[in-house]
Amino acid sequence: MQHEITAKQRLLDSNGNIAEPGFAKKLLWQYNRNDITAPKIRIKEWDYYYIGTQDYGLCLTISDAGYVSCLSVSFLQFGEKPTQMNDSEIGLLPLGKLNLPPTSEAGDIRAKVGTADMNFLNNGRERRLYGSYDNYCNTKKCLVFDITLTDMPEESMVIATPFDKDKHFYYNQKINCMRANGFFEFDGKRYEFNEKNKALATLDWGRGVWTYDNTWYWGSGQMILDDGSRFGFNIGYGFGNTSAASENMLFYNGKSHKLEDITFNIPMKNGEYQYTDEWTFTSSDGRFEMTFKPIIDRQSPLDLKLICMIPHQVFGLMSGTAILDDSTEIKIENRLVFAERVHNKW
């Protein structure tokens, strides 16, 4: 069952639960922190951007997890010698003080923790991401970025998902295939994002009250096809009770195409996931059949036993076929995307 929401409404009822779970193609639910009835320390809010080309990418996150805030930057290169650099600054007990906007449609975030100074500005027409990170990865060198995102697609993936626990929920929007122009600099080198290298950006906008122990799967891709069309996808599960709708969706020239269930087939050996071996993705409706060759397993684990954040965000090359609502087949070959399995106790 895929229950689509088509009219604006409040996200939460008087008890702090999602009033009408489902999916939408626009940001129709209205989120308000004051409607949450769970303790403030349990509220999770974040804005995560991935900006990338076929050759390199940048991950930028500003998050408020209630008891900690986190500003993080990851720098990835996918060439002959793949490399990753990940660094984060952690603050204590933000409890909403970062003032993350209640909507993704407009609003600014300005945050500074430790040596990281990050700004996500959104005037409703374009987004500017800029900032700096001194002593990045303990190199005594500064990473600087300034990127503008334009051409917001008309439709996106929006989902309101309850957990099987009172007062817990997840409200999420994924915006894929925004055009990116700008740069980042590190260690005397400048990396450009522009139309020539077909740079695109994705936003993962999340708000909610999560249960303590979670494992989720998420995959995302964005690309310029040979005919100039913009194509992307969002796939995943593990974000709560998805009986009303999944978050699986294709994006083609600004329009969303809903999928049913997707399965991540991650290789295992002796009971352990082999994240850098070849994966496959299969779909219950036969509309998303892909192979995935990993390049980088992006990791920045935190394991304090009672609290842990253990991500495996794997970047690699995807090939296969996706089918739009009108039965149009989109074939891709060796396109740079990412897929992840994450285990959190938070």
Side-chain angles (χ1 to χ4, degrees):
M1 177 182 178
Q2 303 292 315
H3 178 56
E4 183 175 4
I5 303 299
T6 58
K8 287 191 175 183
Q9 58 182 275
R10 292 184 68 166
L11 176 67
L12 302 179
D13 61 21
S14 59
N15 294 319
N17 295 310
I18 292 177
E20 188 175 0
F23 82 94
K25 296 181 178 181
K26 297 184 178 181
L27 201 74
L28 298 178
W29 288 278
Q30 298 167 328
Y31 169 80
N32 188 332
R33 278 182 68 102
N34 293 330
D35 292 339
I36 297 174
T37 56
K40 287 185 178 180
I41 202 166
R42 299 300 306 155
I43 300 174
K44 318 293 183 192
E45 300 180 327
W46 66 77
D47 285 40
Y48 163 90
Y49 287 93
Y50 173 69
I51 310 97
T53 71
Q54 192 78 357
D55 300 315
Y56 47 81
L58 195 67
C59 307
L60 305 171
T61 306
I62 298 177
S63 69
D64 179 340
Y67 53 88
V68 293
S69 59
C70 179
L71 275 59
S72 71
V73 177
S74 291
F75 165 31
L76 306 154
Q77 296 189 89
F78 310 116
E80 291 184 6
K81 295 182 179 179
T83 59
Q84 62 173 307
M85 299 182 71
N86 307 291
D87 207 352
S88 301
E89 291 282 9
I90 305 296
L92 295 178
L93 297 175
L95 297 173
K97 296 184 182 70
L98 291 182
N99 295 313
L100 273 66
T103 173
S104 70
E105 295 178 330
D108 300 339
I109 309 172
R110 301 178 185 273
K112 186 173 183 180
V113 179
T115 64
D117 187 349
M118 299 172 65
N119 304 271
F120 296 170
L121 310 185
N122 177 12
N123 62 16
R125 299 181 303 277
E126 63 181 28
R127 301 164 189 266
R128 184 185 174 203
L129 319 175
Y130 72 93
S132 61
Y133 200 137
D134 290 334
N135 193 28
Y136 182 63
C137 290
N138 297 313
T139 60
K140 298 184 179 179
K141 298 172 183 176
C142 183
L143 186 148
V144 177
F145 62 92
D146 194 341
I147 304 158
T148 298
L149 309 183
T150 58
D151 290 348
M152 305 298 140
E154 181 182 350
E155 295 179 344
S156 59
M157 193 294 300
V158 185
I159 192 166
T161 308
F163 287 88
D164 293 325
K165 185 176 181 179
D166 192 43
K167 304 177 182 179
H168 289 66
F169 68 93
Y170 181 42
Y171 184 33
N172 180 229
Q173 182 180 35
K174 304 290 198 330
I175 304 176
N176 289 51
C177 302
M178 295 177 281
R179 296 193 189 274
N181 284 276
F183 68 92
F184 66 96
E185 293 180 344
F186 179 69
D187 196 18
K189 296 182 180 180
R190 184 180 176 102
Y191 301 83
E192 299 282 353
F193 295 117
N194 52 45
E195 187 173 350
K196 184 177 180 180
N197 60 27
K198 300 179 180 180
L200 296 174
T202 290
L203 168 64
D204 172 13
W205 183 88
R207 306 289 187 269
V209 177
W210 283 67
T211 50
Y212 167 64
D213 194 340
N214 301 270
T215 298
W216 73 69
Y217 300 78
W218 175 39
S220 181
Q222 52 189 356
M223 61 202 71
I224 306 293
L225 301 178
D226 292 342
D227 64 359
S229 298
R230 281 183 287 173
F231 171 71
F233 63 84
N234 184 82
I235 56 177
Y237 49 94
F239 302 98
N241 183 342
T242 55
S243 59
S246 75
E247 68 163 46
N248 302 316
M249 194 172 278
L250 305 175
F251 310 104
Y252 185 72
N253 288 334
K255 293 290 187 177
S256 299
H257 301 254
K258 191 73 180 68
L259 301 176
E260 296 288 339
D261 295 326
I262 304 291
T263 301
F264 289 44
N265 301 305
I266 308 173
M268 295 191 74
K269 184 177 181 180
N270 298 325
E272 298 289 335
Y273 285 100
Q274 306 299 301
Y275 292 102
T276 56
D277 289 347
E278 184 174 298
W279 305 17
T280 62
F281 297 87
T282 56
S283 51
S284 62
D285 52 13
R287 293 176 55 192
F288 192 87
E289 303 296 321
M290 300 284 176
T291 60
F292 177 60
K293 298 177 181 179
I295 297 174
I296 291 175
D297 179 6
R298 173 180 167 257
Q299 299 183 59
S300 52
L302 171 68
D303 191 355
L304 303 177
K305 304 309 176 186
L306 288 177
I307 297 172
C308 76
M309 298 179 184
I310 306 176
H312 287 271
Q313 185 181 33
V314 182
F315 290 78
L317 301 177
M318 180 172 278
S319 300
T321 302
I323 301 176
L324 305 181
D325 288 344
D326 63 1
S327 298
T328 297
E329 291 190 358
I330 305 295
K331 294 185 180 295
I332 64 173
E333 185 174 358
N334 291 330
R335 295 298 189 121
L336 198 291
V337 305
F338 66 81
E340 68 181 28
R341 179 181 182 272
V342 176
H343 178 212
N344 280 359
K345 293 181 180 178
W346 61 340

